[in-house]
Amino acid sequence: METNAFADEPPGVLFGLPMRMAQTMAISGEAIGGDFVRLRMRHQEDYTNSRGDVHGGAIASLLDCALSAAVRAHDPANFGVATIDLTLHFLSAGGGDLIASARCERRGRSISFARGEVHTEDGTLVAMASGTFKLMARQPATPTV
C-alpha cells in the first residue's frame, strides 16, 4: 500500500526524522507504507560529475536513505536505523530527477535487510542496492534547560 502521511514535511525531514542531508541533497519522501518507500532526489548541478550525470556518491546516498526508510516503513515515527552494510551496483548513467524505491525484505527485532533501485524519470535503471540495517527505537527528545 502506497501512502504518504508525511506529504507536507518541511525540507530536511524524511518520513518524520530530521535529516539535514535530505535538505542539502534535495531528497524528499513520496510514498511509505508497510515495507515499501519511494524517494525523489531533485536534480542539482552541484551533484553531477564531469559528464553532467548525477555523481555515484549522490546515488549511493539516495539508496542509503531509501533502504533505511524501508526498514522503518512499518512504524516510521517510532524507529530510526543505522546502516551496517550497503552494497551497490551501478548500471547506467542517470540525469535529471532520480527516483529510488526500496522494500524491506526481512525485518527482525534489531537487524533488518532491504533492497532497492534507482530509476530516471523515464524508467532507466541506474543502480541497485541491498543493505543490512540496525533498527532502533527512537527516544523522545530531551528538553534543554
Side-chain angles (χ1 to χ4, degrees), residues 13-57:
V13 178
L14 190 59
F15 299 126
L17 292 182
M19 185 184 297
R20 294 285 308 264
M21 185 193 76
Q23 180 176 1
T24 300
M25 297 190 71
I27 297 172
S28 58
E30 291 190 340
I32 188 167
D35 294 326
F36 175 81
V37 299
R38 186 176 59 247
L39 306 178
R40 177 178 298 265
M41 183 170 66
R42 290 186 318 278
H43 180 77
Q44 295 186 88
E45 291 295 320
D46 290 343
Y47 298 111
T48 59
N49 59 27
S50 61
R51 293 182 314 278
D53 300 317
V54 178
H55 188 278

Side-chain angles (χ1 to χ4, degrees), residues 36-116:
F36 175 81
V37 299
R38 186 176 59 247
L39 306 178
R40 177 178 298 265
M41 183 170 66
R42 290 186 318 278
H43 180 77
Q44 295 186 88
E45 291 295 320
D46 290 343
Y47 298 111
T48 59
N49 59 27
S50 61
R51 293 182 314 278
D53 300 317
V54 178
H55 188 278
I59 294 168
S61 293
L62 174 60
L63 278 163
D64 186 41
C65 288
L67 272 64
S68 62
V71 165
R72 64 186 186 89
H74 67 297
D75 193 359
N78 290 314
F79 287 95
V81 299
T83 305
I84 295 171
D85 175 70
L86 186 64
T87 301
L88 285 89
H89 302 282
F90 296 102
L91 303 166
S92 71
D97 285 8
L98 296 180
I99 297 102
S101 58
R103 184 167 303 283
C104 181
E105 298 294 338
R106 175 136 166 79
R107 184 177 295 110
R109 283 181 290 154
S110 64
I111 304 298
S112 298
F113 303 90
R115 63 182 160 165

